[in-house]
Amino acid sequence: AKQTHCVELSVSSGFNFAAMTGGLPAQAIVVMLAIFVVPNVMSVLPSIDPLFMIMGLFGFLALLQHLGMAGQGGEGTGDMGRQRERKEDEVVEKTAEELLQEAERCLAQNSWEKVQELARQVSDKDPENARAWELLVTALKWEGKREQALAAVEKARDLYEVSSSVLEGLAKELSIEESPAAVAAECEAKAEDFLSKRQYDLAAECLQKALDALSKDGDWLEQRLRLLRRRAECAQQLQDWGACRAAATELLEANADDTQALLQRAVSNEALEKFKAALEDARKLLALDPKSRTVAN
């Protein structure tokens, strides 16, 4: 009975190391040892409990399996290392054309710093690449670094003898000190393009840049008010209630009866949990337009 119990125990607790034993599973080996080897040993050493003997076999087999697994683990680690090395060798640097295409996509998304990084990667390897210099100068210009942009144009032309119609146009533009109104107009045109594509976040950046170019006490009040209205609309679409409230407030400073600005500020105040101010704007708006269903709701 003890021997049968031990055989069952060996079958249920065998270890998988077939590769170490010519393809035989551990369970089969334990069963064979228990059936053929243990009785012969017991005839010579009758005083030894067969259970202890089979448990000793288990321990021996477990040790062999452990050693085999350790060896396999080492081989696996080596294989993984070799695979990683092969993958690293397969990594190929992006071509100049791919970098420039990525830079152009970043330029369309107002990612000026990323454009500069990519353009410099190309110009460092190929200083005579005109498109790289064009993208670099354009990004510097739009970021407001006009002096650095002009210096980059001069470096491309004088040091590397790079020439293109785009660079010439940028050089001419940067050499002339633009008026704030011209800078704002350029940013406004770019913002309108983004608005037509419903890219409100990018449009908001351009509108804010245009507003920063125009001071409040300048001679361009009409242009600034137009920009503020568009800025408030963008902020409302983006649910940027702080910016929407600020733009609407400046519009109301110029015209206290501006119903659109009153409504935008009332909505912004409500979203910002400034309920008293929102109620005051709503009451004033109702006084100006008693039939307004929007305010009534």
Side-chain angles (χ1 to χ4, degrees):
K2 285 184 179 181
Q3 184 172 348
T4 304
H5 174 71
C6 294
V7 170
E8 291 175 354
L9 181 63
S10 67
V11 172
S12 62
S13 306
F15 296 87
N16 184 18
F17 60 103
M20 299 174 56
T21 56
L24 290 175
Q27 293 94 331
I29 294 175
V30 173
V31 171
M32 291 173 63
L33 290 173
I35 294 175
F36 298 109
V37 177
V38 173
N40 295 328
V41 175
M42 289 299 301
S43 63
V44 180
L45 303 172
S47 60
I48 298 178
D49 191 332
L51 178 62
F52 290 133
M53 185 173 295
I54 294 179
M55 289 178 63
L57 289 173
F58 269 113
F60 179 68
L61 293 173
L63 177 61
L64 290 178
Q65 184 182 23
H66 177 72
L67 294 175
M69 290 177 64
Q72 292 174 359
E75 292 176 2
T77 303
D79 291 340
M80 290 177 62
R82 286 190 291 272
Q83 290 176 4
R84 186 164 53 249
E85 289 176 0
R86 284 196 296 269
K87 287 182 179 180
E88 291 175 355
D89 292 339
E90 291 173 359
V91 174
V92 180
E93 292 185 0
K94 291 184 178 179
T95 63
E97 186 62 28
E98 290 172 336
L99 290 171
L100 292 176
Q101 289 176 359
E102 185 179 352
E104 288 174 351
R105 288 193 293 270
C106 293
L107 188 67
Q109 297 296 320
N110 291 1
S111 301
W112 316 127
E113 292 184 1
K114 186 63 176 179
V115 175
Q116 295 170 45
E117 176 188 340
L118 294 168
R120 284 195 172 100
Q121 287 183 34
V122 178
S123 63
D124 287 346
K125 295 179 180 178
D126 181 11
E128 297 181 358
N129 191 308
R131 186 55 186 152
W133 288 105
E134 292 167 2
L135 288 168
L136 175 60
V137 174
T138 302
L140 288 168
K141 184 195 79 169
W142 279 107
E143 197 177 10
K145 301 177 179 179
R146 295 178 63 86
E147 293 182 0
Q148 293 184 32
L150 184 57
V153 173
E154 293 174 349
K155 180 179 180 180
R157 291 192 306 184
D158 300 340
L159 186 59
Y160 300 112
E161 299 181 351
V162 178
S163 178
S164 74
S165 58
V166 176
L167 276 179
E168 292 300 323
L170 287 168
K172 184 177 179 181
E173 177 185 347
L174 294 167
S175 60
I176 301 173
E177 186 175 351
E178 284 189 309
S179 66
V183 174
E186 188 176 11
C187 294
E188 183 180 7
K190 196 171 182 66
E192 291 297 334
D193 181 57
F194 284 128
L195 285 171
S196 67
K197 301 173 184 175
R198 298 183 180 276
Q199 295 176 305
Y200 298 107
D201 53 339
L202 300 177
E205 290 180 17
C206 293
L207 289 168
Q208 189 58 54
K209 188 177 179 68
L211 287 167
D212 292 341
L214 302 175
S215 60
K216 293 183 179 181
D217 54 355
D219 298 329
W220 32 75
L221 178 61
E222 182 179 350
Q223 185 180 10
R224 184 173 178 84
L225 292 176
R226 184 175 65 250
L227 291 167
L228 284 167
R229 193 169 300 284
R230 296 299 263 171
R231 180 70 181 92
E233 292 171 1
C234 281
Q236 190 170 4
Q237 290 288 340
L238 297 168
Q239 297 186 357
D240 184 355
W241 302 117
C244 184
R245 181 175 181 271
T249 298
E250 189 172 340
L251 286 167
L252 290 169
E253 290 174 358
N255 180 10
D257 296 334
D258 188 328
T259 55
Q260 184 179 353
L262 268 173
L263 178 60
Q264 288 172 328
R265 191 170 72 173
V267 172
S268 299
N269 281 327
E270 183 181 16
L272 293 170
E273 298 184 358
K274 299 179 182 293
F275 300 117
K276 183 178 179 181
L279 183 59
E280 291 176 359
D281 287 338
R283 285 174 176 170
K284 185 172 182 179
L285 190 55
L286 277 175
L288 293 171
D289 185 7
K291 296 181 180 180
S292 175
R293 294 183 179 180
T294 304
V295 180
N297 293 333

